[in-house]
Amino acid sequence: DTAVSQTPKYLVTQMGNDKSIKCEQNLGHDTMYWYKQDSKKFLKIMFSYNNKELIINETVPNRFSPKSPDKAHLNLHINSLELGDSAVYFCASSRLRWETQYFGPGTRLLVL
Amino acid sequence: AQKVTQAQTEISVVEKEDVTLDCVYETRDTTYYLFWYKQPPSGELVFLIRRNSFDEQNEISGRYSWNFQKSTSSFNFTITASQVVDSAVYFCALSEPTGANSKLTFGKGITLSVRP
């Protein structure tokens, strides 16, 4: 019954590794997002997809690559992880871009 | 450009006190949406309320109430008779439906601690 789900919930890895986070929503929404929440709790949008099409890319390093195989899934792949990538990453979805966004539980990434 | 300011960073109250969380926004659009989200210590982001710019009616939901005032560009959130379970970070957010890059802009959040 989970509306927006993310896996994994925790991710601990070494600098330089490549990792992926998966997101799925069963709300039938057209738009999905990735956010990064830093240690000060500031939430910043990274990417937004609408019907599998990238519509927002907020000056994120190109080591981050989102992929949307269908409108219910939006995955985030991160290459060459750096210490500064340590954060909580949230996936979200909404019916329309300006409407209420529903968030996944977050993925806590720690880069050592 | 849209902007959301939550000037209070941390608030600490004793249980049963009333507390108001302030939110001030900036936008050039006449049509926009305002939101509040709650992030409890467990970390998930929980949607609380959405208001559109054409509806200035205040809203009450149990111990929660919201005061939307376009004249002061504010959308404040009051918790009446606070409880320990209200301890969380509360985010105010704004979205504008126009423009190709319509997105949700969050304030920096207010950490509310309710002490027993």
Short mmCIF file of all heavy atoms in Angstrom, two decimals, chain B residues 1 15 17 24-25 27 37 58 60 71 82 92 111:
data_model
loop_
_atom_site.label_atom_id
_atom_site.label_comp_id
_atom_site.label_asym_id
_atom_site.label_seq_id
_atom_site.Cartn_x
_atom_site.Cartn_y
_atom_site.Cartn_z
N ALA B 1 11.48 35.71 -8.90
CA ALA B 1 11.70 34.32 -8.49
C ALA B 1 10.97 34.05 -7.18
O ALA B 1 10.83 34.94 -6.35
CB ALA B 1 13.19 34.08 -8.31
N GLU B 15 4.75 21.30 26.67
CA GLU B 15 3.49 20.68 26.27
C GLU B 15 2.29 21.53 26.74
O GLU B 15 2.32 22.13 27.81
CB GLU B 15 3.40 19.30 26.92
CG GLU B 15 2.81 18.25 26.02
CD GLU B 15 2.88 16.85 26.61
OE1 GLU B 15 3.27 16.70 27.78
OE2 GLU B 15 2.54 15.93 25.87
N GLU B 17 1.29 24.25 25.47
CA GLU B 17 1.39 25.63 24.99
C GLU B 17 0.94 25.68 23.54
O GLU B 17 1.06 24.71 22.79
CB GLU B 17 2.84 26.13 25.04
CG GLU B 17 3.30 26.55 26.40
CD GLU B 17 4.71 27.14 26.34
OE1 GLU B 17 5.07 27.76 25.33
OE2 GLU B 17 5.45 26.96 27.31
N VAL B 24 6.69 33.34 5.37
CA VAL B 24 6.50 34.48 4.47
C VAL B 24 7.00 34.07 3.09
O VAL B 24 8.05 33.44 2.97
CB VAL B 24 7.29 35.71 4.97
CG1 VAL B 24 7.23 36.84 3.95
CG2 VAL B 24 6.72 36.18 6.31
N TYR B 25 6.24 34.42 2.08
CA TYR B 25 6.62 33.99 0.73
C TYR B 25 6.71 35.17 -0.22
O TYR B 25 6.16 36.25 0.05
CB TYR B 25 5.60 32.96 0.20
CG TYR B 25 4.21 33.50 0.09
CD1 TYR B 25 3.75 34.09 -1.10
CD2 TYR B 25 3.33 33.47 1.18
CE1 TYR B 25 2.48 34.61 -1.19
CE2 TYR B 25 2.06 33.98 1.09
CZ TYR B 25 1.64 34.56 -0.09
OH TYR B 25 0.37 35.09 -0.17
N THR B 27 6.38 35.92 -4.48
CA THR B 27 6.09 35.42 -5.82
C THR B 27 5.57 36.54 -6.67
O THR B 27 4.97 37.48 -6.17
CB THR B 27 5.05 34.28 -5.77
OG1 THR B 27 4.73 33.89 -7.10
CG2 THR B 27 3.78 34.71 -5.05
N TYR B 37 4.63 21.00 5.29
CA TYR B 37 5.02 19.61 5.48
C TYR B 37 5.63 19.45 6.86
O TYR B 37 6.25 20.38 7.39
CB TYR B 37 6.07 19.18 4.44
CG TYR B 37 5.54 18.93 3.05
CD1 TYR B 37 5.36 19.99 2.16
CD2 TYR B 37 5.23 17.65 2.63
CE1 TYR B 37 4.88 19.76 0.87
CE2 TYR B 37 4.75 17.41 1.34
CZ TYR B 37 4.59 18.46 0.47
OH TYR B 37 4.12 18.23 -0.79
N ASN B 58 -9.19 30.76 6.40
CA ASN B 58 -8.35 30.02 7.33
C ASN B 58 -8.85 28.59 7.46
O ASN B 58 -10.03 28.32 7.22
CB ASN B 58 -8.35 30.71 8.70
CG ASN B 58 -7.61 32.03 8.65
OD1 ASN B 58 -6.73 32.22 7.82
ND2 ASN B 58 -7.98 32.95 9.52
N ILE B 60 -8.84 24.94 9.77
CA ILE B 60 -8.59 24.31 11.06
C ILE B 60 -8.76 22.80 10.88
O ILE B 60 -9.72 22.33 10.26
CB ILE B 60 -9.59 24.81 12.13
CG1 ILE B 60 -9.42 26.30 12.34
CG2 ILE B 60 -9.38 24.05 13.44
CD1 ILE B 60 -10.44 26.90 13.29
N SER B 71 -2.23 39.91 2.07
CA SER B 71 -1.76 41.29 2.28
C SER B 71 -0.36 41.33 2.87
O SER B 71 0.40 42.26 2.63
CB SER B 71 -2.73 42.04 3.19
OG SER B 71 -2.84 41.38 4.44
N SER B 82 0.02 22.11 22.25
CA SER B 82 1.04 21.26 21.63
C SER B 82 1.29 19.99 22.46
O SER B 82 1.09 19.96 23.68
CB SER B 82 2.33 22.05 21.47
OG SER B 82 2.80 22.50 22.74
N CYS B 92 7.51 25.06 5.17
CA CYS B 92 6.54 25.77 4.36
C CYS B 92 7.08 25.73 2.92
O CYS B 92 8.31 25.76 2.72
CB CYS B 92 6.42 27.20 4.86
SG CYS B 92 5.25 28.24 3.99
N THR B 111 12.55 23.92 13.41
CA THR B 111 12.61 22.76 14.30
C THR B 111 11.82 23.07 15.56
O THR B 111 12.16 24.00 16.31
CB THR B 111 14.06 22.43 14.67
OG1 THR B 111 14.79 22.14 13.48
CG2 THR B 111 14.11 21.23 15.60
#
